[in-house]
Amino acid sequence: MTTTGPRVEEGYAPVTGGVRMYWRSVGEGGPPLVVVHGGFGVVEMFGDVLGRLAAGRRVVAVELQGHGHTADVDRPFTWDAFADDVAALVGSLGPGPADLLGYSLGGGVVLRTAIRSPEAVRRLVVVSAPCRRDGWFPDVRAGQESVSSAGLDWMRQTPMYEAYAAVAPDVDAFPALMDKTGALISGDYDWTEEVRALTLPVLLAYGDADAIPPAHAAEFFALLGGGLRDAGWDGSGRPASRLAVLPGRTHYDVFAAPELAPVVDAFLTAAD
């Protein structure tokens, strides 16, 4: 008896600014779920989570400009440029909106995508990312401000660099990736009012020992209409958006936590 696993495809999509974005697709069925990694990440960073999510749908993991297989171009990293790249990728998948999931830096990217191109997004999952920069703990913000190519020797000892070097078209571009990432994440941003105006369902997911305090997660959720009232005995007052806090998880393992997949799957398959 021959058994086959989920369908796997990969390729490059021309997006914006001359970027040819690498993507890897697992599974079949729609609407597709587009997944965006964190800073310095590649598609493999989510571990088994992508396979678990692909059990009933097509999951398309991408690599942003300058990350992994996707070559860098002469363009600074900005939230809006990344968001427009993701929206263009969604457009290349076919008619209809897609679901989006992003972790950390990728969480900011998919949030900006939903804000800038709401027609491209059906449901949104933000994992371990705030809606404004001061949502990070102060020491985390201080660490973000120190990210630059000056730390290259240290980064070369990390799994993130190893994963990048295994697939990057130009391994020597890593210092530029560090500098551009540092400039992006150390800049101020506050998307509070734009989040308040969102009308699509959003799942926010964090670890209970995350780099973002639970107080900010609750504030973010409130902007989406969550946590403001009792849902009632029949649940009729429950908001369309959801908040998940995974126990025992941190910013550095929540994205690959096995318990993340069923939480996301339940949200994506909920009745509109």
Side-chain angles (χ1 to χ4, degrees):
M1 179 177 179
T2 300
T3 59
T4 59
R7 180 178 180 180
V8 178
E9 299 177 294
E10 63 180 347
Y12 291 86
V15 284
T16 68
V19 174
R20 296 182 66 250
M21 178 181 284
Y22 174 78
W23 57 268
R24 184 181 304 164
S25 172
V26 183
E28 298 180 79
L33 171 63
V34 175
V35 178
V36 185
H37 56 78
F40 305 111
V42 294
V43 298
E44 287 87 0
M45 79 176 303
F46 291 94
D48 294 337
V49 170
L50 297 187
R52 293 169 184 263
L53 290 171
R57 65 180 58 83
R58 183 185 184 194
V59 176
V60 183
V62 304
E63 291 173 349
L64 298 171
Q65 173 190 340
H67 289 75
H69 298 78
T70 303
D72 199 6
V73 297
D74 186 15
R75 181 183 74 171
F77 288 179
T78 69
W79 298 109
D80 287 352
F82 281 164
D84 291 348
D85 287 347
V86 171
L89 184 281
V90 169
S92 75
L93 297 178
D99 297 323
L100 300 186
L101 180 154
Y103 156 71
S104 193
L105 183 148
V109 171
V110 297
L111 178 58
R112 287 304 297 173
T113 306
I115 289 168
R116 290 174 63 81
S117 303
E119 73 286 348
V121 187
R122 188 187 75 102
R123 287 179 175 249
L124 176 68
V125 182
V126 176
V127 180
S128 201
C131 64
R132 62 175 194 267
R133 187 165 185 267
D134 67 5
W136 300 98
F137 278 116
D139 59 326
V140 175
R141 297 199 303 271
Q144 291 171 340
E145 291 164 6
S146 69
V147 173
S148 76
S149 57
L152 178 61
D153 288 344
W154 179 83
M155 282 294 292
R156 281 180 172 149
Q157 314 306 312
T158 66
M160 290 181 291
Y161 178 83
E162 181 180 356
Y164 170 90
V167 299
D170 179 9
V171 177
D172 293 334
F174 197 80
L177 173 60
M178 295 184 70
D179 287 336
K180 288 184 173 184
T181 300
L184 175 68
I185 63 177
S186 62
D188 193 31
Y189 56 90
D190 185 346
W191 305 323
T192 298
E193 294 308 315
E194 291 158 301
V195 168
R196 199 191 306 273
L198 288 174
T199 59
L200 74 163
V202 182
L203 167 64
L204 304 177
Y206 301 90
D208 64 359
D210 213 306
I212 297 150
H216 179 79
E219 180 183 350
F220 194 166
F221 189 43
L223 295 174
L224 299 163
L228 301 178
R229 63 188 66 84
D230 174 39
W233 67 271
D234 61 352
S236 60
R238 183 170 45 231
S241 293
R242 299 183 182 182
L243 172 63
V245 180
L246 305 186
R249 293 298 176 180
T250 74
H251 188 71
Y252 312 100
D253 65 10
V254 66
F255 54 88
E259 61 269 31
L260 178 62
V263 171
V264 172
D265 183 68
F267 170 69
L268 297 181
T269 56
D272 290 327

